[in-house]
Amino acid sequence: MRVWLVTAAEPIPSDGVRPMRFMGLASALVARGHEVTIWTQTFFHHTKRHRFESDTEYEAEGYRVIVLRTWGYRKNISLRRYVSHWHFARRLAAAMPLQPQPDVVVAALPPLDTVSAAAAYAERRGIRLVVDVIDPWPDVFVSLLHPRLQRLSRMCVTPLASQARAAMRRAAAITALSSSYASWARSLEADRPIPAATFFPAVHLRRPRGTAGANGVRARASDHVRFVYAGALGRSYDVATVIAVAGMLSDAGEGRAEFVIAGAGPGRPALERLASGLPNVRFTGWLGAPQLDDLFASSDVGIACYRRRATQTVSYKLFDYLGAGLPIVSSLDGEMAEILAREGIGWNYPPEDARALSALVKRILDEPATISPMAQRARAFAESHGNAETIYPAMAAFIDGTSGQRMT
């Protein structure tokens, strides 16, 4: 079977970063004997730079990659980004008919224009379309606004909502990054029972290095608790509140907590100034995989500190921490909060609320014996729900399993 994976933002082998969703899926499909092509653009959303100066094709990891030259943008929320997506969709519409026809097209949402281009191509040829929902556009735009503005904003995005419904009408199946995203996608095409499945953001689990025990969880020997944040230091994450809590604890003479902040980004200078003089905060800068493994192995709790009205439901950061045997302190509500509570693998606090986070940290410090059992459950949950070695083969099998369903 010939499979096309269409994405505007996923990493590809030449990026030199860790494999994520479509790279993992491509490898799993190749392992099942399929011929796989990833379609993407030269502009890489995560770095805001072009990968290549012109259209490029290459083979790696057993599959082909087609990279189309497109326009770039500087800001995530901007008219130029919308125009860039439109341009990529136009390039796809012109380039796809020039290649041997696939049996199935898997298109990542967002952006909507890309999915629409893939859907139109597939519909004209009776090819199966699978929509992989990474973010529920355009509803996510509405959720970012103040509640008083949401009714008006829903009217403004009506054309985009119609575009999303049209894409789902053409889909033979839906895959999604979270259960809530899958439900959202199915609700757009409620008139027919469209197959849908959730595949969480998977990571390649490694046994933590350093002081980790045989079960991947380190044995705790004191009431000292190390909290770790590992990720980008930019606008999406609320590391400032974590530092504020560290300051509150330091002022109160509480010396049992340490906060380690690993990562790089434009916000680092300001955060370092905010933490200046605090004995319980340490910045490591960017860490490679072995160094990050060692940090996780010597830590006790991972922090997932998102800003108010964050759009994520279940994140890669969740499984990075859980895979390292770290219970999680998280500011995300919804599905992620439900998972942490249901599985007993973490705690939740209101976003950007330093007092609530401080109270939660004190509770953890006063109950250190609860950390090790939660760590064991965290690792077990990651192994069963977020292991790339099982998630992507299961996703590939789901796509195979919809082979009898064609476009209508």
Side-chain angles (χ1 to χ4, degrees), residues 89 107 111-122 163-164 166-167 170:
L112 279 165
D113 285 341
T114 301
V115 176
S116 295
Y121 169 85
Q163 189 178 8
R170 296 169 175 171

Side-chain angles (χ1 to χ4, degrees), residues 5-24 26-27 36-47 49-52 54-61 63-69 88:
L5 309 180
V6 181
T7 174
E10 283 282 318
I12 53 178
S14 55
D15 292 328
V17 300
R18 70 174 179 177
M20 296 180 74
R21 194 168 182 85
F22 269 26
M23 287 176 64
S27 295
V36 180
T37 298
I38 293 181
W39 291 81
T40 191
Q41 59 179 335
T42 55
F43 185 74
F44 191 23
H45 170 78
H46 299 285
T47 62
R49 295 180 179 178
H50 283 280
R51 295 155 160 144
F52 307 104
S54 58
D55 291 0
T56 301
E57 293 187 29
Y58 65 89
E59 291 191 10
E61 310 296 333
Y63 52 86
R64 187 166 60 134
V65 181
I66 298 178
V67 191
L68 302 178
R69 175 70 186 190
F88 179 42

Side-chain angles (χ1 to χ4, degrees), residues 157-170:
V157 301
T158 296
L160 298 179
S162 298
Q163 189 178 8
R165 284 193 296 271
M168 295 307 168
R169 281 197 299 269
R170 296 169 175 171

Side-chain angles (χ1 to χ4, degrees), residues 130-133 168 171-176 181-182 185-186 194-198 398:
V130 178
V131 177
D132 185 37
V133 183
M168 295 307 168
I174 294 165
T175 56
Y181 288 176
R186 293 188 74 172
I194 183 170
T198 299
F398 176 81

Side-chain angles (χ1 to χ4, degrees), residues 203 205-208 214-217 319 322-325 376-391:
V203 297
L205 300 181
R206 299 180 297 272
R207 286 298 179 187
N215 63 350
V217 178
F319 287 99
L322 297 179
Q376 294 174 16
R377 292 193 295 269
R379 175 71 187 197
F381 184 81
E383 290 176 346
S384 61
H385 292 81
N387 186 352
E389 301 300 321
T390 56
I391 292 297

